[in-house]
Amino acid sequence: MDNSRRKFLKLAGVSAIAGIAAPAAFNSLLKGEAFASGGGSGHGEDKAPTGKRYGFVVDVQKFAADKDLAQRCINACHTTHNVPDFGKDNKKDEIKWIWTETFGHAFPDHSQYKKNTQLVDLPIMTFCNHCDNPPCVRACPTKATFKNADGMVLMDFHRCIGCRFCMAACPYGARSFNWRNPAVKNEDGSYKYIRRPNLDFPTRMRGVVEKCNMCAERLAEGKQPACVDACRPTDGIIFGDLNDPNSEVSKVLREKFTIQRKPALGTKPSIFYII
Amino acid sequence: MIEKALSGNRLYWTWLAILLAIMGVGGLCYVQQFNYGLGITGMSRDVSWGLYISQFTFLVGVAAGGVMLVLPYYLHNYKVFGRITILGEFMAVAAVSMCLMFILADLGQPMRALNVLLHPTPNSILFWDMIVLNVYLFLNIVGGWVILNAEKKEVPPPKWVKALIYISIPWAISIHTVTAFLYCGLPGRHYWLTAILAPRFLASAFAAGPALLVICALILRRYTAFDAGKEAINKLVTIITYAAILNFFFVGLELFVGYYSNIPGHMHTLDYLFFGHEDGGVLYDNLVGPMRFSMFIGMAATIALLFPKMRDSYCKIGWLCGAIFLSLWIDKGLGLVLGGFVPSPLDYYVEYYPTAIELGITAAVWATGAFILTVLYKVAISVKLTKEA
Amino acid sequence: MYDKGKIITGLIVFVGLITFPIWYGFGSAGHLPNPEKPKNAKECVEAVDYMRTSHMQLLNEWRDDIVRSGGTRAGITHDGTEYIRSLQKGCMKCHTNKAKFCDECHTYTAVKPYCWDCHIQPKEAN
């Protein structure tokens, strides 16, 4: 008698715990609460997330008109963020936050058959799409890469373990890994691979992943991202809040036909291109 | 019980000394990698995972393969496997240990590895992989050791250990399923983005794991007094044959979907792996030879195993199992992981060649696995032989 | 007991060796750290005692708050002085000399923070 009662109590206790805890855990998974680092859940639906969502419109024609514009953008970004340069011949260790691609590589799933010949050499500015539904954030095992409240996909370099799962996950090739120490110094104390260091921004250490941070540090000071500023006076890259109907990006997006990179993957990129 | 590993003949000590020497050289290689960074390997911005992760993936399969002994013995009371179940469990221990070492070798910041526990992230498959692998390691060490110890003392094993064994059966499936999820859940990598990846992983695992077991059993038979028994070996060979058939069937399904659908993204990696890709006058085909060789010897050995004549001597069985193991090692230990990166998501073809340092570290991890396996097998067969004597 | 002499001698040598660091520096505290205080400011962002024991936690909190939670970069002390919550742009604006401030205690206590692997220290004025 005693024995069976004890068994019953044990069983009842275990099922009570399972009955209460399991649905709660399951619900929180369904609602995405446990996915503290994750983005929206949508696959293809166009519902706008609430709050801010920063995004870019890249006007490719502006870059076609001014051949140096792309390089100015790249230089502005890379000097602002102390991105090392290991030389043109070293593709293996290359680190880039913003760079140019030809149309075929930036949009590999768009047919170029019998297309406008102007497209062939057109430089397309490519950088992190700050996806609304970022696969890199889903993949990261430590929340070292995460989406913040303003829709920026950011890196916490202090936390990155260098597993490079995010690099495999990113469908846009936007992520670079520090295969070697980027902050190596010459004998005179200057940086070997960072030509003009920005003393207000850190460098990185080897073994962590990095990418475009949407100039979070400049936005905090009320400035525009460095690439956007570098395009002045043209509107080569327009930046703003996609959720604010009065922002410049929103106006441009309403008026012009734009495309995103690989929209079929459901990542919901925040960069729009006027071709 | 561990003291059994401390006495052995000359061959045993020579073998351990060779392994230790390889581990030492690899350790020096690792010091170099630790100081310089992963740039010392052949990995690049485009092929960001290389030999370490591909070996890891393959070895998860070898670890899961041990269940092909545990399951028939414990669930179906197939007595013939009773004597060698422990070999399967200890192989799983060695293989999972190697997996963990390969992951550590691949981290850019190994000192921060425990961040995975400090900041648990349930939406990351790597987080779950870490959990299932460590639990599987625990289940096999404890299960194998406790049962072996009970056998040595000639008492029945404690009841709770049975529970661990039963859990370890679905758990073996889980480790390879979760490892497949690492790959097949990523958008933009067409070669991996296939629902059949987990079944394909499991089929190759249930061929490669037991194949290695058969080879080990034959080596033990040759150099020690321990004989797994003809019936057990034959049954294992049957399992290997059907698992290998399934594996190649799945490979065929991938080829059909890719080429019949004619969707470029689905064909690009297959083209690169089996035919090579030409771009701007450059031919990218460094995996074509190994992949064709893998398919050829794998299928030839599998077909051969279907004929009783080819199974009538241990020598033939050993070679055929070796061929299947090698075939699957190339297919999964090289082609699968590297193929996912070529072409890159931006449609660039960048090829990967491991460096000497990388090969040294890889060899050292394999040697460490072999060391663990040797010591555990030494203990196991010493117990078995003393009891039987 | 066999080999009594050898064992006891061995033990003495062993104990002597492992306690070497204790008796080697016995009685002297070595070079005491004396971090150079900034000349242009009297107070730090928190009380001196707190800063002495917990500046590393404070830096971690700043980082997590600013980088992860979108927290403000502007800080204000209890007496109303404004500062920037940043190692490079905040702390180092007053504590301009890493060697004479940070390294003093870090060397003494044998800790090697990895801050300077990435964050750029101010050019030392000398």
Side-chain angles (χ1 to χ4, degrees):
Chain A
M1 188 67 194
D2 200 29
N3 190 21
S4 66
R5 188 196 299 154
R6 192 185 300 159
K7 261 190 189 163
F8 170 78
L9 285 175
K10 257 192 207 166
L11 204 68
V14 169
S15 18
I17 291 169
I20 295 163
F26 193 63
N27 276 338
S28 95
L29 282 179
L30 279 182
K31 280 191 234 146
E33 279 166 11
F35 295 66
S37 65
S41 63
H43 283 279
E45 88 243 44
D46 292 322
K47 208 180 86 191
T50 50
K52 276 194 183 117
R53 183 185 166 193
Y54 288 127
F56 301 83
V57 174
V58 178
D59 188 341
V60 175
Q61 291 303 331
K62 298 272 165 36
F63 289 88
D66 180 352
K67 294 281 183 229
D68 292 332
L69 190 56
Q71 197 55 48
R72 287 210 299 278
C73 280
I74 297 170
N75 290 348
C77 170
H78 287 186
T79 46
T80 303
H81 298 113
N82 296 328
V83 174
D85 180 3
F86 298 114
K88 266 212 162 68
D89 300 330
N90 190 345
K91 287 270 168 217
K92 188 169 113 58
D93 296 339
E94 190 181 20
I95 291 175
K96 48 191 182 188
W97 286 26
I98 182 169
W99 71 102
T100 59
E101 289 290 349
T102 58
F103 185 83
H105 288 295
F107 299 92
D109 42 7
H110 283 246
S111 164
Q112 291 180 78
Y113 184 60
K114 299 208 174 190
K115 273 269 172 73
N116 187 342
T117 47
Q118 191 219 355
L119 271 182
V120 177
D121 313 311
L122 211 55
I124 312 273
M125 296 309 298
T126 42
F127 46 105
C128 172
N129 267 299
H130 294 275
C131 304
D132 197 30
N133 196 355
C136 55
V137 170
R138 228 162 30 228
C140 179
T142 62
K143 301 192 192 83
T145 192
F146 58 93
K147 203 174 108 177
N148 81 356
D150 295 337
M152 307 175 187
V153 176
L154 298 178
M155 281 291 305
D156 183 345
F157 303 120
H158 303 83
R159 195 183 282 190
C160 177
I161 58 173
C163 70
R164 309 188 298 296
F165 200 6
C166 55
M167 293 178 80
C170 176
Y172 305 104
R175 294 180 157 265
S176 307
F177 182 69
N178 284 283
W179 296 103
R180 54 201 286 193
N181 184 0
V184 180
K185 287 189 175 171
N186 292 315
E187 270 173 32
D188 63 357
S190 62
Y191 289 102
K192 206 168 172 183
Y193 304 113
I194 304 169
R195 225 169 302 132
R196 281 182 291 147
N198 172 8
L199 299 182
D200 284 337
F201 199 79
T203 65
R204 264 72 63 197
M205 65 205 298
R206 63 157 190 266
V208 297
V209 172
E210 63 181 82
K211 65 167 199 74
C212 159
N213 70 343
M214 218 187 231
C215 283
E217 82 287 356
R218 288 171 61 94
L219 296 184
E221 294 173 354
K223 294 182 194 159
Q224 294 269 296
C227 58
V228 175
D229 269 356
C231 287
R232 309 260 180 243
T234 71
D235 282 336
I237 303 177
I238 306 164
F239 172 79
D241 182 0
L242 299 173
N243 282 351
D244 173 4
N246 299 317
S247 69
E248 207 188 335
V249 267
S250 297
K251 273 185 229 161
V252 175
L253 286 173
R254 274 198 302 271
E255 287 161 11
K256 295 264 172 72
F257 175 76
T258 53
I259 57 172
Q260 292 160 291
R261 294 171 70 197
K262 303 192 180 183
L265 300 181
T267 55
K268 299 203 228 162
S270 303
I271 308 178
F272 297 81
Y273 292 88
I274 302 173
I275 299 299
Chain B
M1 226 162 34
I2 193 77
E3 75 281 355
K4 306 259 186 214
L6 295 176
S7 65
N9 59 15
R10 207 190 166 88
L11 188 69
Y12 173 71
W13 290 111
T14 316
W15 169 239
L16 288 188
I18 293 171
L19 292 177
L20 277 173
I22 301 172
M23 285 153 73
V25 173
L28 291 177
C29 291
Y30 186 73
V31 170
Q32 294 223 28
Q33 179 184 300
F34 190 86
N35 288 330
Y36 179 87
L38 282 166
I40 211 162
T41 69
M43 293 185 270
S44 61
R45 196 180 187 280
D46 285 303
V47 186
S48 47
W49 280 339
L51 212 46
Y52 301 146
I53 293 296
S54 65
Q55 299 306 292
F56 151 78
T57 309
F58 177 73
L59 286 163
V60 174
V62 172
V67 80
M68 286 290 107
L69 288 175
V70 176
L71 189 149
Y73 178 60
Y74 285 101
L75 280 193
H76 300 282
N77 203 20
Y78 184 66
K79 293 268 194 265
V80 179
F81 281 170
R83 284 185 76 231
I84 55 168
T85 303
I86 189 76
L87 298 188
E89 288 165 326
F90 282 171
M91 176 174 287
V93 171
V96 176
S97 309
M98 289 160 80
C99 289
L100 297 175
M101 282 184 275
F102 273 121
I103 292 272
L104 270 184
D106 189 67
L107 291 185
Q109 285 288 337
M111 313 293 279
R112 295 183 192 162
L114 291 180
N115 273 4
V116 179
L117 296 176
L118 203 60
H119 308 286
T121 312
N123 49 272
S124 173
I125 300 296
L126 204 57
F127 168 75
W128 294 107
D129 214 30
M130 180 270 302
I131 292 179
V132 290
L133 281 175
N134 281 299
V135 171
Y136 191 63
L137 180 63
F138 168 82
L139 289 174
N140 278 288
I141 288 185
V142 175
W145 198 262
V146 168
I147 287 178
L148 192 66
N149 211 5
E151 207 171 296
K152 185 186 160 212
K153 292 178 181 152
E154 298 185 28
V155 291
K159 273 205 179 123
W160 57 266
V161 83
K162 271 281 178 68
L164 291 194
I165 301 276
Y166 287 130
I167 293 170
S168 83
I169 293 171
W171 210 274
I173 313 286
S174 87
I175 61 168
H176 221 20
T177 306
V178 174
T179 305
F181 285 178
L182 287 176
Y183 298 99
C184 65
L186 304 178
R189 303 265 178 199
H190 292 288
Y191 186 52
W192 296 337
L193 190 72
T194 164
I196 211 175
L197 200 69
R200 197 181 146 188
F201 270 22
L202 286 165
S204 76
F206 294 155
L212 188 58
L213 262 170
V214 166
I215 295 168
C216 288
L218 294 182
I219 291 172
L220 290 179
R221 188 177 171 275
R222 174 111 184 235
Y223 293 105
T224 73
F226 183 81
D227 186 355
K230 184 122 186 98
E231 200 186 335
I233 298 278
N234 279 340
K235 190 55 88 182
L236 270 177
V237 169
T238 311
I239 291 171
I240 293 164
T241 313
Y242 285 103
I245 289 173
L246 263 181
N247 174 67
F248 290 113
F249 174 62
F250 288 155
V251 173
L253 296 183
E254 289 287 1
L255 290 169
F256 171 79
V257 170
Y259 287 110
Y260 193 81
S261 72
N262 197 41
I263 296 173
H266 290 276
M267 296 188 291
H268 281 159
T269 296
L270 295 173
D271 279 344
Y272 166 68
L273 287 178
F274 291 105
F275 306 104
H277 173 86
E278 206 197 308
D279 189 17
V282 187
L283 188 62
Y284 300 94
D285 67 343
N286 69 346
L287 287 174
V288 172
M291 286 304 285
R292 287 185 182 175
F293 175 70
S294 154
M295 289 300 135
F296 174 74
I297 57 159
M299 285 196 264
T302 308
I303 291 167
L305 280 178
L306 288 171
F307 294 94
K309 248 195 147 170
M310 297 302 289
R311 295 193 304 255
D312 62 5
S313 84
Y314 281 140
C315 181
K316 287 179 194 165
I317 287 176
W319 280 107
L320 290 175
C321 285
I324 286 179
F325 184 79
L326 180 66
S327 161
L328 297 173
W329 177 77
I330 294 170
D331 180 31
K332 204 154 95 188
L334 290 177
L336 189 115
V337 173
L338 300 179
F341 289 101
V342 191
S344 76
L346 302 189
D347 208 24
Y348 286 105
Y349 285 78
V350 176
E351 295 195 303
Y352 158 86
Y353 293 92
T355 59
I357 297 277
E358 204 174 355
L359 290 171
I361 294 172
T362 306
V365 176
W366 276 94
T368 314
F371 190 93
I372 296 173
L373 191 71
T374 308
V375 168
L376 290 177
Y377 275 14
K378 179 76 174 54
V379 173
I381 62 172
S382 302
V383 169
K384 300 258 176 197
L385 291 176
T386 340
K387 209 189 76 185
E388 282 163 17
Chain C
M1 199 151 107
Y2 300 106
D3 289 332
K4 200 193 270 176
K6 277 183 198 164
I7 291 173
I8 289 174
T9 325
L11 273 176
I12 290 170
V13 170
F14 175 73
V15 171
L17 277 178
I18 62 158
T19 53
F20 177 79
I22 298 175
W23 55 261
Y24 178 74
F26 197 76
S28 89
H31 165 72
L32 281 177
N34 183 24
E36 187 183 271
K37 295 195 181 77
K39 292 170 187 97
N40 58 349
K42 287 219 166 57
E43 286 203 37
C44 202
V45 297
E46 296 281 347
V48 174
D49 278 346
Y50 175 82
M51 291 310 288
R52 215 169 261 159
T53 56
S54 311
H55 59 282
M56 45 288 200
Q57 279 94 332
L58 186 77
L59 286 170
N60 271 346
E61 280 163 26
W62 285 0
R63 178 198 57 221
D64 284 349
D65 185 43
I66 293 167
V67 176
R68 308 189 73 89
S69 319
T72 169
R73 285 165 202 245
I76 190 156
T77 61
H78 66 275
D79 66 355
T81 317
E82 286 176 16
Y83 64 93
I84 303 174
R85 298 160 87 212
S86 158
L87 174 66
Q88 234 169 292
K89 294 197 221 174
C91 308
M92 302 312 285
K93 291 292 177 231
C94 291
H95 303 283
T96 51
N97 194 323
K98 171 182 168 269
K100 289 185 181 158
F101 185 75
C102 311
D103 293 352
E104 274 288 306
C105 296
H106 290 160
T107 310
Y108 182 72
T109 51
V111 290
K112 292 195 184 95
Y114 62 77
C115 312
W116 314 105
D117 286 1
C118 300
H119 292 274
I120 302 173
Q121 64 189 76
K123 286 238 161 63
E124 256 132 58
N126 51 0

